[in-house]
Amino acid sequence: MENYFAVAEVCIPNTILDNLSFGINDQSIVRGSVVEVSLKGRKKPLLGLVLSVHKNFPKFKLKPATACGHVFSERYVETFLWCANYYMCSLGEALTAFWPVDLRKYLLSESGFSGFKDGQDICSAPVLTVEQRNAVDALIEMLHAANFRGALLHGVTGSGKTRVYLEVVREALSLGLKTLILVPEINLTPQTRKRFEDFLNCEIPILHSKLGAKEKRKTWQRLLNPHTPILMGTRSAILAPFEPQLIIIDEEHDASYKQQDPAPRYNVREMAFHIAHKYGALVILGSATPSLETYGNAKNGNLKLIEMKSRPGGLPLPKVIIADMKEERKKQDKDLMLSPILRDALSKTISEGNQAIILLNRRGYSTNRICEECGNPLQCTDCNVALVYHKQHDKLACHYCGKLFPTDIHCKCGSKKFAFFGSGIEKAEEEIKEWLPNAKVLRLDADTTSGLGTTEKLLQKFRDKECNVLLGTQMVAKGHDFPDVSLVGILCADIGSSIPDFRAGERYFQLLTQVAGRAGRFLENSQVIIQTFCPENPVMQFAIKHDYQGFSKTELTERQEAFYPPFCKITQIRIQAKDKQKLQMAASEAANLLGMEHGIKILGPAEPFVSKAQKYFRMVITIKSENPANIKNAIKNVLPKTPKGVDVRVDRDC
């Protein structure tokens, strides 16, 4: 022990540990250093992050830690520790999310920002509208201030929020401030990156989970250089070794900004607020349909509310037409998915040389295989969900675990007779091609975009007008800017409206509004046709009128009465086990213990919408409180009592 200069407390990724002690002889090793260590049972040395250095030598024999040459900043280390602490996971689990799989290759060399292109000025852009100019002026004024600043840029779809971002980022660069730009979907990065690069005349590194290894290493090596001024990416980019003074979260309402599994189950918005409060930064949240937490904060004065209520050039929002499928199905074969009104509008759109987007948020060909003897749907053997028939692969698929089954598999009752019911996106594609020979359909869903770069290529084909109908799941609703789209059709618009989740109405409104907003961004006389069996649904009525204020007022009133966010903080404890009886006992005991804690309200335990997935039975306990510290303290008192064989996952800000 006396052979070592000091002791380093080291966090190691891909473990559920917090930290381990190692001996060091190198005085260059400090908090934030990357070191190489050996663990018992591991053949190869591992990299770890030094959390502290001290001289309180333990009584046991220490293994050595060797410096690897890179030291992460204090801000990076503190943000990592805050994330693990707030989202209640081990330090090892958190570091697994913060670091790439093979950090060694990322530390070999460091390359920085290449700068603005020689001999070129920053690109010009269309003149700002009055609303855009006012928004830019307000945000630039906030940019020049100090400490935490937060703003909600609430603009209708097509109002030019990206144009505002461009001006603010240009000002940030001129001030020498670093900028992080976040988008909700990987497939939005190419178009967004191009707009920023063209406007600023510089290369922008990007970071998301589907980058090739070479490109991801290149981005990381740029970020390790402190002079790189700008980064663009999806959710995980908030964890990168980058220290922005301006954070832009576009389409901030999107559910993809919340990590589900594995831990840490972080919320990008909360991470951004922590960074901004701790280190002084401007956070801009942009959306046409803000989350009610964000809108509530803006209305209460915690965020500056900046509104843009019109589209540039005076273009109107698209006309919304409701196709009541109770009546439309009387006019034709009930098996047809497109109503006569939508089919006619689609035919006219194609003949005029314009494009259309059709949304159906349901993968596969048929959503149920029903036994003709007992009438039960065929379910996955590992999950309590119905199997979906995919004609493309001629297989039945579970959309929760990915397991595939042959189409002629027997029912549990022994019957071989079955029929397919419920229509998916594959069937819609088949119908459009059959009825409209001039339709050149491009399908965009998880089954057509599995390859690296496939989504980008397909979307580019649509932009280049090689196809005139883009048929897709919810991924077509998010932020895309297609100038020749004059028609949007929404099939089976009622999907998701009745899910037992307090956010179901909010997400339903957001989806309808966002996909409708893809129409008429550069064309007059655009229209949206919504096919529904429930046109009187109040959420749909708000969406038809593009009435976010009306929707939010109604929804916030209901949330306040039921004590849900933004009027409280909410955390879910998700409990699962292969033994159903053991699960029920553990969940009941946890709920009883939580019920003894003060300052919190408990709901459950209850079975979630999908009560079994990947062979694990599942239950959920929901905890609500005005004070998030009460929730955290209560959970800390309960978690250590979890029995063996039961998996407990804490999901804060869910």
Side-chain angles (χ1 to χ4, degrees), residues 109-113 217-225 228:
S109 61
E110 299 179 6
S111 59
F113 174 61
R217 284 198 300 271
K218 183 180 178 182
T219 295
W220 253 74
Q221 288 160 4
R222 285 185 176 185
L223 297 180
L224 294 178
N225 185 309
T228 301

Side-chain angles (χ1 to χ4, degrees), residues 150-213:
L152 168 60
L153 181 60
H154 181 202
V156 298
T157 55
S159 59
K161 292 183 288 294
T162 302
R163 180 75 177 85
V164 173
Y165 302 151
L166 291 168
E167 294 289 346
V168 179
V169 173
R170 174 159 64 180
E171 180 68 12
L173 290 176
S174 72
L175 295 172
L177 303 178
K178 292 186 176 185
T179 299
L180 174 62
I181 304 161
L182 297 173
V183 294
E185 289 287 338
I186 289 171
N187 57 51
L188 287 174
T189 54
Q191 81 168 26
T192 310
R193 182 189 196 183
K194 186 177 188 307
R195 285 195 67 180
F196 276 85
E197 288 187 335
D198 288 350
F199 185 80
L200 301 171
N201 254 327
C202 69
E203 290 185 27
I204 297 176
I206 60 170
L207 198 61
H208 57 68
S209 60
K210 288 192 177 180
L211 279 182

Side-chain angles (χ1 to χ4, degrees), residues 573 575 582-583 585-594 596-597 633-648:
I573 299 181
I575 310 173
K582 182 181 285 189
L583 168 68
M585 291 177 62
S588 295
E589 184 179 357
N592 290 335
L593 290 170
L594 286 166
M596 298 169 65
E597 300 291 328
N633 292 334
I635 293 173
K636 277 189 171 182
N637 292 336
V638 172
L639 281 184
K641 301 175 177 65
T642 304
K644 188 177 180 180
V646 177
D647 178 38
V648 177

Side-chain angles (χ1 to χ4, degrees), residues 224-347:
L224 294 178
N225 185 309
H227 302 295
T228 301
I230 188 167
L231 172 66
M232 181 179 294
T234 51
R235 177 179 65 228
S236 60
I238 195 80
L239 309 179
F242 185 68
E243 302 184 354
Q245 290 87 33
L246 170 62
I247 302 174
I248 296 172
I249 306 178
D250 192 29
E251 307 294 354
E252 68 83 28
H253 65 276
D254 199 278
S256 67
Y257 284 124
K258 176 68 173 68
Q259 165 75 0
Q260 297 299 325
D261 284 310
R265 296 172 183 87
Y266 61 93
N267 184 309
V268 164
R269 185 174 61 237
E270 298 303 320
M271 289 281 294
F273 285 159
H274 167 75
I275 292 168
H277 275 291
K278 183 79 176 179
Y279 301 101
L282 170 60
V283 177
I284 302 175
L285 307 170
S287 178
T289 54
S291 65
L292 289 177
E293 287 92 329
T294 297
Y295 191 68
N297 274 326
K299 296 295 284 186
N300 291 334
N302 296 324
L303 298 171
K304 184 176 181 62
L305 178 60
I306 300 171
E307 295 183 299
M308 298 196 300
K309 299 180 179 180
S310 58
R311 290 180 164 183
L315 283 172
L317 289 166
K319 180 183 179 183
V320 180
I321 299 169
I322 290 294
D324 186 343
M325 295 306 289
K326 297 190 296 292
E327 300 300 323
E328 294 294 317
R329 279 159 61 95
K330 296 175 183 178
K331 304 174 186 177
Q332 62 181 20
D333 187 333
K334 290 184 178 181
D335 288 336
L336 290 175
M337 299 185 68
L338 272 68
S339 62
I341 187 172
L342 177 55
R343 200 161 48 242
D344 291 344
L346 187 56
S347 177

Side-chain angles (χ1 to χ4, degrees), residues 326 538 555 614:
K326 297 190 296 292
E555 188 73 8
Q614 297 179 322

